[in-house]
Amino acid sequence: MLRIALCDDETAARDSVRFLLEKILYEGSEDIVYEFTSGNSAVKWLKAHPGEVDLLFLDVEMEGLNGMETARKIREFNKELVIVFLTGYSDYVFEGYEVGALDYVMKPVKEKQLRNIISRVRGLLIQNQEKVFAFKNTDGTFRMSVDRILYFYSDRRKVVLVTKEKKYPFYGKLDEVEQQVKEQVCTGFVRIHQRYLVNENKVEFVGKGEVHVAGNVLPVSRSMKERAEASLARAMLEGGYK
């Protein structure tokens, strides 16, 4: 699944890119999910919907917040989003490396350029797919980078995914989440309690009956204490999972 967004303050420019992309994308599994008319609207929406977009085509020369400024703001809360700049000038190429841009596409955009970009992004997604946890709630479908997840906890019929910035509740069972992350994502999650599953790479301190994760103090149950503390201590000494 490849989800794309376009950000350009010119309608004709967005239409042109969308038309070319529709000829390239795999129907049913790849889609243009959103179009932004300004940098501010892109930043606001992407911050509120982490993981919902994989690739952003971003115009450099926009009124108000330009593309480079927009990219810098996005990188404050999202390091994984693939950004490709659209521009009529080559002056910004080196500046783009500062925000981790994948590439530049010169206007007017050519189909061959886009095919190359999409092919590269597909390859990146395949490389990184095991490092992402996917879930769905009332806000939409999310693909959360494992590195952003601090821990999960159960809350009645829901599971809550906790990041540094926000909590994301979704219907499910913690046992099922534990199985999913171990089989599909990575082995770097440790069950410390019937209600808590922690990312061992985010644990800062292991004490008597508790662990500290980004300032949160979580309980360790007696039944899971020995195994959990051994796993977490090993991970901390080794520098976390790879």
Side-chain angles (χ1 to χ4, degrees):
M1 183 69 171
L2 172 57
R3 295 164 298 179
I4 299 171
L6 311 176
C7 182
D8 197 313
D9 57 358
E10 296 183 2
T11 302
R14 293 197 310 276
D15 290 345
S16 175
V17 175
R18 185 179 65 250
F19 174 76
L20 292 175
L21 286 171
E22 287 172 349
K23 296 167 62 177
I24 299 169
L25 300 180
Y26 297 147
E27 186 175 353
S29 63
E30 298 178 341
D31 198 12
I32 301 169
V33 297
Y34 215 88
E35 294 187 25
F36 305 104
T37 59
S38 71
N40 281 321
S41 62
V43 170
K44 183 177 180 180
W45 192 89
L46 290 168
K47 189 172 186 178
H49 300 81
E52 288 201 36
V53 171
D54 305 302
L55 169 61
L56 173 66
F57 285 98
L58 180 59
D59 181 35
V60 175
E61 299 89 23
M62 292 189 294
E63 294 291 332
L65 199 68
N66 67 36
M68 205 60 62
E69 294 166 338
T70 300
R72 289 195 181 97
K73 287 184 175 294
I74 290 171
R75 288 299 185 230
E76 291 175 4
F77 59 85
N78 189 330
K79 300 292 193 297
E80 293 80 34
L81 178 65
V82 179
I83 296 176
V84 173
F85 285 114
L86 305 174
T87 179
Y89 307 93
S90 58
D91 303 352
Y92 301 94
V93 172
F94 292 106
E95 195 174 356
Y97 290 121
E98 297 176 9
V99 293
L102 177 72
D103 210 339
Y104 277 81
V105 176
M106 298 297 294
K107 294 181 177 180
V109 179
K110 302 292 192 300
E111 182 178 336
K112 183 177 180 180
Q113 292 175 296
L114 288 185
R115 284 191 180 277
N116 179 54
I117 293 291
I118 295 300
S119 177
R120 291 167 63 190
V121 175
R122 286 170 181 154
L124 288 173
L125 290 180
I126 291 172
Q127 274 185 329
N128 296 328
Q129 64 184 356
E130 293 185 354
K131 302 176 184 177
V132 174
F133 177 78
F135 64 97
K136 184 176 182 180
N137 63 18
T138 54
D139 292 326
T141 301
F142 297 83
R143 293 201 302 181
M144 189 71 66
S145 168
V146 169
D147 191 54
R148 294 186 60 196
I149 302 172
L150 300 177
Y151 60 92
F152 298 90
Y153 70 88
S154 61
D155 183 14
R156 298 179 184 178
R157 292 188 300 157
K158 293 183 180 181
V159 173
V160 181
L161 182 156
V162 181
T163 69
K164 184 178 180 180
E165 302 83 13
K166 191 176 178 180
K167 296 181 178 181
Y168 300 86
F170 58 94
Y171 285 103
K173 297 179 180 179
L174 195 58
D175 288 344
E176 295 171 353
V177 171
E178 181 180 14
Q179 193 68 21
Q180 182 180 345
V181 296
K182 287 185 176 180
E183 290 181 355
Q184 302 177 14
V185 183
C186 71
T187 58
F189 284 82
V190 177
R191 191 73 172 264
I192 62 170
H193 189 281
Q194 192 64 27
R195 293 189 58 217
Y196 292 92
L197 177 68
V198 302
N199 184 340
E200 65 183 26
N201 201 37
K202 301 299 181 181
V203 173
E204 301 161 341
F205 172 77
V206 179
K208 293 183 178 180
E210 66 183 33
V211 299
H212 296 193
V213 182
N216 300 285
V217 180
L218 309 180
V220 179
S221 67
R222 290 184 179 180
S223 61
M224 299 179 183
K225 183 175 186 293
E226 185 174 346
R227 175 191 271 179
E229 290 184 351
S231 296
L232 292 173
R234 183 174 62 253
M236 292 174 73
L237 290 172
E238 294 176 352
Y241 67 87
K242 304 299 182 183

